[in-house]
């Protein structure tokens, strides 16, 4: 893909948490002309007592009707369910993820992501419409990342939209294209992190998840992309504790960052920051090529 818009916001102050969805939505909408065909957002909100699983269906009324009862019967425990347009967020009892995934696969329901804090919402359409459908403005949390997509290499579908999540509370958005994704796809599949779509971005997400599973830090995992992934890329990665940014050594994809005492923000362009509180006093810089930046709680 060529254009695409990426945004990210990491809040340092608790009192800003209720505004996260509102601020991220404004950032996403300003990037519409960089990616008008689909949009997505990952929000890190309050931790659930179990594991949150975000699912998606093209026929939500039919699919989600009675789903909580059917799952409760299959898993032997109550499964709270919250529907948001074509997506729903389930709260699974600990230890039931594998059974729940098998249940979803059997019913043809797509799993968008899992985590104790993360919820993912993504659909085809203009960012403002996608945000409205899911009620993103009303969502609170500690941090989040978003993406507006202009597809050039793969189809415009819900599954092709970003963020991609390939591990609990992990997700990634990407502007650029990877040239060695077929080779990486094979090696990641051997490691137990098989990409499920043809999208090169999901390969990068699987790579980060595979490294985190090996016990390296988010910063080290991001550093590894510089050695192991070929192509043009700006990645923004979310984990339960924070978010990180890395650009390839040539850094031809635009990126800008802003930091105040209240937050750290990332955008493909400076105008993404226009509605952030106190932006006029922020330290603003362009992230250096082949340099990892990350913030964690």
């Amino acid at each position: 893909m060529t254009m695409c818009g990426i945004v990210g916001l990491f809040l340092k102050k608790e009192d800003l948490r209720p505004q996260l969805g509102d601020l991220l939505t404004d950032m996403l909408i300003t990037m519409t002309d960089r990616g008008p065909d689909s949009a997505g957002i990952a929000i890190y909100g309050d931790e659930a007592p179990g594991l949150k699983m975000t699912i998606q269906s093209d026929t939500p009324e039919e699919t989600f009707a009675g789903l909580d009862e059917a799952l409760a019967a299959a898993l032997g425990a109550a499964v709270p369910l919250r529907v948001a347009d074509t997506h729903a967020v389930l709260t699974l009892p600990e230890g039931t993820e594998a059974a729940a995934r098998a249940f979803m696969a059997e019913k043809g329901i797509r799993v968008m992501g899992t985590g104790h804090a993360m919820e993912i919402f993504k659909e085809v359409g203009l960012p403002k419409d996608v945000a409205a459908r899911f009620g993103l403005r009303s969502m609170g949390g500690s941090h989040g990342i978003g993406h507006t997509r202009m597809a050039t290499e793969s189809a415009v579908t819900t599954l092709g939209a970003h963020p991609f999540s390939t591990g609990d509370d992990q997700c990634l958005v990407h502007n650029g294209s990877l040239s060695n994704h077929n080779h990486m796809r094979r090696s990641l599949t051997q490691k137990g992190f098989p990409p499920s779509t043809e999208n090169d971005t999901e390969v990068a997400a699987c790579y980060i998840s595979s490294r985190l599973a090996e016990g390296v830090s988010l910063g080290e995992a991001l550093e590894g992309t510089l050695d192991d992934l070929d192509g043009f890329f700006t990645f923004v990665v979310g984990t339960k504790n924070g978010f990180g940014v890395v650009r390839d050594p040539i850094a031809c994809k635009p990126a800008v960052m802003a930091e105040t005492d209240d937050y750290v923000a990332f955008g493909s362009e400076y105008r993404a920051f226009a509605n952030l509180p106190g932006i006029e006093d922020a330290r603003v810089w362009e992230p250096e090529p082949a340099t990892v930046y990350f913030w964690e709680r």
Side-chain angles (χ1 to χ4, degrees), residues 39-41 54 82 84 87 89 119-123 134 136 139:
I41 202 160
T54 309
R82 185 179 88 248
H87 289 44
V89 181
E119 298 175 12
I120 284 189
F121 304 92
K122 57 185 186 177
E123 263 311 344
F134 294 125
L136 293 177
M139 294 182 189

Side-chain angles (χ1 to χ4, degrees), residues 6-61:
I6 301 176
V7 297
L9 187 61
F10 176 87
L11 302 177
K12 300 178 184 178
K13 297 279 174 74
E14 287 286 317
D15 56 0
L16 279 175
R17 284 179 66 116
Q19 296 178 54
L20 178 69
D22 199 33
L23 295 170
L24 263 175
T25 299
D26 281 342
M27 295 174 75
L28 202 64
I29 290 170
T30 60
M31 294 290 100
T32 296
D33 60 353
R34 294 192 66 84
D37 64 41
S38 51
I41 202 160
I43 293 265
Y44 291 82
D46 293 331
E47 284 197 41
L51 186 74
K52 293 197 269 195
M53 175 180 278
T54 309
I55 57 174
Q56 187 270 351
S57 170
D58 293 337
T59 55
E61 286 180 11

Side-chain angles (χ1 to χ4, degrees), residues 94-174:
E94 290 290 358
T96 62
E97 182 185 354
R101 280 188 180 273
F103 179 95
M104 298 304 163
E106 191 182 310
K107 304 281 185 199
I109 301 170
R110 297 164 177 156
V111 176
M112 295 280 121
T114 55
H116 290 91
M118 180 189 75
E119 298 175 12
I120 284 189
F121 304 92
K122 57 185 186 177
E123 263 311 344
V124 171
L126 288 170
K128 71 176 174 59
D129 298 334
V130 173
R133 284 169 66 179
F134 294 125
L136 293 177
R137 285 196 182 277
S138 65
M139 294 182 189
S142 55
H143 57 295
I145 63 179
H147 188 271
T148 62
R149 182 167 185 244
M150 185 178 286
T152 58
E153 288 178 19
S154 51
V156 178
T157 62
T158 306
L159 281 178
H162 303 209
F164 279 93
S165 177
T166 53
D168 286 354
D169 286 308
Q170 296 166 24
C171 65
L172 176 145
V173 293
H174 169 213

